[in-house]
Amino acid sequence: QVQLVESGGGQVRPGASLTLSCEISGDNFPSYTVAWFRQAPGKQREGVSCLAHADGRTYYVPSVKGRFTASRDSMKNTLYLKMNDLRPEDTAVYYCAADLWCGPARESFYYDEPNFWGQGTQVTVSS
């Protein structure tokens, strides 16, 4: 069974940085496409970044390009999201996910429903 456990959320001021981590159990981590999602209060969940296994590319939603960096460490079975220059509009519950498809879509990316989800970690950006 695959389990995902996020950590690293918190409350920060605008302009600050945070790094989220997601530890993924199971032997198939290197072959999974993995992704970060977020859901702000009163809004639909959106894909933030996807690390596609098929083509080795990393995709981002336009609102975080140049500020967020997603990466994976296959030795540690861990997914990361480094978030710089955080803004109040980045406030959301952030989720990691595994075993999905994603691909390019103009300036963003398409994705389908992941099979595995973490429990979420709150990120609050406020002055």
Side-chain angles (χ1 to χ4, degrees):
Q1 184 166 348
V2 177
Q3 290 187 323
L4 293 79
V5 179
E6 298 106 335
S7 60
Q11 183 167 349
V12 297
R13 294 185 182 277
S17 298
L18 275 177
T19 298
L20 305 182
S21 300
C22 173
E23 293 189 42
I24 303 177
S25 65
D27 295 334
N28 292 327
F29 175 72
S31 64
Y32 282 146
T33 288
V34 289
W36 288 99
F37 292 79
R38 66 185 179 186
Q39 187 164 20
K43 293 188 176 181
Q44 287 191 330
R45 186 181 65 205
E46 68 168 346
V48 175
S49 179
C50 185
L51 293 81
H53 174 68
D55 61 9
R57 293 177 61 181
T58 301
Y59 301 101
Y60 297 94
V61 67
S63 60
V64 307
K65 281 184 180 178
R67 299 189 298 123
F68 289 13
T69 302
S71 61
R72 64 194 297 168
D73 185 333
S74 295
M75 294 296 292
K76 296 182 178 179
N77 275 17
T78 302
L79 175 65
Y80 301 98
L81 185 66
K82 171 70 171 174
M83 304 183 294
N84 294 326
D85 188 24
L86 282 161
R87 304 168 182 171
E89 54 264 37
D90 295 318
T91 295
V93 178
Y94 284 72
Y95 300 89
C96 59
D99 196 14
L100 70 155
W101 172 88
C102 66
R106 216 173 259 195
E107 296 185 354
S108 187
F109 62 97
Y110 294 112
Y111 53 88
D112 65 1
E113 181 71 14
N115 285 318
F116 306 107
W117 289 93
Q119 82 285 358
T121 186
Q122 177 70 46
V123 173
T124 302
V125 185
S126 174
S127 56

